[in-house]
Each structure stands twice: as structure tokens, then as C-alpha cells.
Amino acid sequence: MRSKLVAGNWKMNGNLASNQALLKSLIPLLASVTRARCAVCVPYPYLAQTEQILRGQGISWGAQDVCEYEHGAYTGSVSAGMVADFGCRFAIVGHSERRALFGDTDAVVAKKFAAVLKVGLTPILCVGETLAERESGVMEQVIARQVDAVIAQSGAAALGQAVLAYEPVWAIGTGKTATPEQAQAVHAFIRGRVAEQDIRVADGLPILYGGSVKASNAAQLFAMADIDGGLIGGASLVAEEFAAICKAL
Ligand code: PGA
């Protein structure tokens, strides 16, 4: 069976006081979740705080991005090795906000993916189409291009150490969730695309859905055959809501 994961993506939210309250509330709420892994991806400055609070508590943590380079004169950037120093298990790469707002191309995302793997962490590779791309009928082309760039850089076998997240851009932070059937169709497409390269890797690849997942719609999404969990933005900032989503998985 594929492993199951719910990962929170806090984005650029939180401070020392609010993080402490959120993380401390999550610990008892998630204690009963044993069949799925739960994780929070926090802003870089709070990785140390998160490690200190979550270590040994059965909840994983990670970063929301990494630099594609290992070290050197890259002012303001943070490497995969640096986040690994804080006990991270995961690092998100290719989130649509990084692609759209910070210019991460498919090639850069592929390098970031490789950088995360190199330090032994699990990349959570985000892919997804905009509304315009969906409506103009190029959705599958866009997603295939995003997945293929990573395979071209790292090889299909590398996906055996990764998690994918399908996040339709039009569903992120909009309150508009893809229907379970819409999401399932794309998840099956992604798995099929990977299977063309490596069936075994495709079968074992956890594919998360992200985009306005809430406690009220999580169970229907997670019931679909190719949906192995969720990447949760807004709802991951509320302990009870995030815990309910983890329990739904
Ligand atoms: P959302 O964000 O749950 O707030 O829509 C999801 C994401 O961006 O990962």
C-alpha cells in the first residue's frame, strides 16, 4: 500500500507565539493518527522552534522551498543542507506561488528537487494548471511538462523517494476545491505518466491533492483511488481543522 501523508503548508504566516500555540495543540490532537503521516512545512526562521517542539512527538516537519545551489554567494537563499540541519523530513519544491511569483521555471524546480534528494530529504513536488490552461485544454500538457522536467533531471527512479502534490492553481486559497472526480482524473493521469517510465515507482508514488482542502471536503477527496493525502494551506493554520483533515485520511 502507498504511504499516506497530510502536510500543512503554513506559507508566510506565524510568529514565535502563534507557532508555539499551534504546534502544542497539534501534538495531542494528532496522537491518535497512526495510519497516516502528518507534517507541517514552516517558514525557515521557525524550523528550529518546530524541531524543538515536535521532536519525538510523531509529527514531521519540513521547509516550503530550498535554493537549487548547495552553498556560495547566493545572498538571501537557503540550501537543502541547511534545512536538513533542523531535522526536516520534507521540503516542498515547485509550489505554484514560487513558480508564479518568484519565477521558478520547470528547470529550476527540477534542480531544487535534485538538491532536496541529495541531502536525504523527501521532496514534495507540486504541479498544477491555471484556470486558463484548464479551460484552453492544455492542462495535461502543462502537468506532463512539469513532471517530465524532474524525470529528465533526476530520472524516474528518483520519484521513488518523493511525494507529488497536484494543486490546481485555481483552487489554491480560493475556497474553490476541485471535485473528487476532477482531482482523481488528474492524479490518475500523473500516475500514468510516471508509469510510462517506471510502473513500480508509479504504483508506490504518493500523490497528494492540494487546493482549498478543509475538514468538510477532505474525506471525499481522500476516498478516491489515486489520492494519497493532502497538501493543506489555509486550513493548516487552525489546529482542530488540520487535525480533522489528518483524521479523515
Ligand atoms: P490552500 O493552499 O489549502 O490554502 O488552498 C494549498 C497550497 O497552496 O498548498
Side-chain angles (χ1 to χ4, degrees):
M1 217 175 75
R2 286 191 287 276
S3 56
K4 308 259 179 206
L5 169 69
V6 174
N9 172 12
W10 288 5
K11 309 195 179 185
M12 199 171 75
N13 292 293
N15 56 47
L16 284 173
S18 69
N19 300 342
Q20 161 136 354
L22 176 53
L23 293 169
K24 293 235 156 148
S25 333
L26 283 178
I27 293 169
L29 287 171
L30 295 182
S32 62
V33 180
T34 51
R35 278 182 292 173
R37 182 179 292 281
C38 306
V40 290
C41 295
V42 309
Y44 297 133
Y46 303 122
L47 283 171
Q49 178 193 27
T50 302
E51 177 178 33
Q52 198 228 324
I53 296 175
L54 292 187
R55 176 152 313 274
Q57 301 294 341
I59 305 171
S60 304
W61 60 94
Q64 298 170 11
D65 190 31
V66 295
C67 180
E68 63 270 43
Y69 306 116
E70 272 178 56
H71 54 77
Y74 304 104
T75 302
S77 294
V78 174
S79 71
M82 291 172 183
V83 305
D85 268 348
F86 293 90
C88 288
R89 181 181 173 111
F90 298 101
I92 298 171
V93 297
H95 190 280
S96 63
E97 286 151 16
R98 300 303 313 179
R99 292 179 190 262
L101 304 175
F102 300 94
D104 281 13
T105 60
D106 290 332
V108 167
V109 172
K111 287 190 186 134
K112 291 183 171 188
F113 180 96
V116 172
L117 273 186
K118 191 166 178 197
V119 299
L121 305 191
T122 302
I124 300 177
L125 168 67
C126 300
V127 299
E129 83 289 359
T130 63
L131 189 58
E133 287 163 343
R134 174 173 278 259
E135 288 179 342
S136 62
V138 295
M139 175 184 80
E140 292 192 346
Q141 238 167 287
V142 168
I143 290 168
R145 193 197 70 218
Q146 292 170 339
V147 172
D148 291 353
V150 168
I151 295 177
Q153 170 86 34
S154 295
L159 289 174
Q161 267 105 62
V163 172
L164 245 84
Y166 168 56
E167 298 208 302
V169 178
W170 47 272
I172 295 178
T174 57
K176 243 198 213 175
T177 319
T179 64
E181 294 73 24
Q182 280 175 322
Q184 165 59 28
V186 181
H187 282 230
F189 170 75
I190 294 170
R191 200 176 304 288
R193 188 85 187 176
V194 177
E196 287 170 22
Q197 308 286 325
D198 191 322
I199 291 189
R200 200 186 45 82
V201 166
D203 274 348
L205 178 64
I207 307 179
L208 316 182
Y209 169 78
S212 299
V213 178
K214 305 182 271 288
S216 58
N217 59 25
Q220 291 134 285
L221 286 159
F222 297 161
M224 305 310 282
D226 286 291
I227 301 184
D228 306 305
L231 184 56
I232 319 299
S236 72
L237 299 171
V238 182
E240 292 73 19
E241 186 78 11
F242 186 64
I245 294 168
C246 295
K247 285 175 188 165
L249 186 61

